[in-house]
Amino acid sequence: MGFLSGLFGKKAPPPRELNHPNQLQTGDMVTLDDSFALPPQLRGQQLRVEAVNTYEFERKQLTEWVLKGHGSDTLYLSLDEDDDTALVFSLKINRAQVEQVFDLDAFSDIFEQDIQAQLAVQSPVPEALSQWLGKQYHQINFAQFGYFHREDYRNLRPPQDEGHTMGEPFEHYLLLDEEEQFALEVEVYEDGDTDVLLSLYRPLSDIREYWPSNS
């Protein structure tokens, strides 16, 4: 009977390997380091992957993981793979917070092609954002065109046909601080919607544990 059950029985699939952020799928969870170097929205948090999105640019694709924990903030994770791979955590801020943190006249320079914007962070900094901010930012990218897809296209080419399947067209603006540990990112969409994100670069070791989804 043992031979027959082994012959006709179904073997359980091997557990899915999950030990790197680029393997994360919707429903997976991560536990982050409890270091005080991390903002409270990240420090020691257990975060669930709510969705996986794709940014499509002319020469590259970028995967974005949408993360949610016990707090009210939605967080975003991507990977910077230019040199050593780093985690990029991002937090979206609203217009009122932009006005608190930056001078709006200087902020508008981001969208002027002939000006390389230089932004200083205003004091006092809102406590909830203090560990998301550098002191001074300089512009790196101006109006980089791309498409935003609410789909996971890792190892795939996003659809190229006209219509909604092409994703949402947008322009991307990027500023970095002097140490390149913090970034300010602005995404401007065709309908005028504008997203402003504060980003910070962290080592892969900040993810202490991975928890694959049971589904």
Side-chain angles (χ1 to χ4, degrees), residues 1-176:
M1 286 297 293
F3 171 79
L4 292 177
S5 63
L7 185 63
F8 297 108
K10 291 183 178 179
K11 289 186 177 180
R16 179 165 62 89
E17 184 177 359
L18 180 55
N19 52 33
H20 193 280
N22 61 21
Q23 298 166 332
L24 286 168
Q25 298 178 8
T26 301
D28 293 340
M29 300 187 76
V30 294
T31 302
L32 301 184
D33 189 33
D34 61 359
S35 166
F36 283 98
L38 288 172
Q41 297 93 334
L42 298 172
R43 188 185 312 142
Q45 295 293 314
Q46 189 173 75
L47 304 171
R48 182 181 187 274
V49 179
E50 298 290 314
V52 184
N53 301 320
T54 304
Y55 286 93
E56 177 192 4
F57 298 102
E58 182 180 3
R59 300 184 187 279
K60 67 176 182 179
Q61 289 177 203
L62 188 68
T63 302
E64 174 191 77
W65 293 270
V66 183
L67 305 176
K68 195 79 175 175
H70 295 299
S72 59
D73 292 306
T74 299
L75 302 161
Y76 304 89
L77 170 67
S78 59
L79 296 177
D80 178 62
E81 299 180 285
D82 286 343
D83 296 315
D84 294 331
T85 300
L87 304 171
V88 185
F89 291 107
S90 300
L91 176 70
K92 199 174 291 186
I93 61 173
N94 58 36
R95 181 181 174 86
Q97 291 171 310
V98 172
E99 291 179 356
Q100 281 184 290
V101 174
F102 301 109
D103 176 82
L104 286 188
D105 287 336
F107 189 86
S108 66
D109 287 345
I110 294 172
F111 310 105
E112 298 294 332
Q113 187 167 6
D114 298 329
I115 301 175
Q116 188 180 36
Q118 304 279 337
L119 290 181
V121 174
Q122 299 182 139
S123 296
V125 173
E127 185 176 351
L129 302 180
S130 62
Q131 288 186 269
W132 289 91
L133 290 161
K135 294 181 179 179
Q136 184 94 21
Y137 292 86
H138 59 278
Q139 190 158 1
I140 301 295
N141 279 354
F142 176 84
Q144 183 183 17
F145 182 77
Y147 292 98
F148 175 69
H149 302 268
R150 299 182 190 275
E151 299 285 345
D152 181 0
Y153 286 117
R154 278 174 287 184
N155 303 315
L156 296 170
R157 189 182 183 200
Q160 305 298 309
D161 55 315
E162 292 292 337
H164 72 279
T165 55
M166 285 188 69
E168 303 169 43
F170 75 103
E171 291 179 341
H172 180 251
Y173 302 80
L174 173 66
L175 296 88
L176 294 175

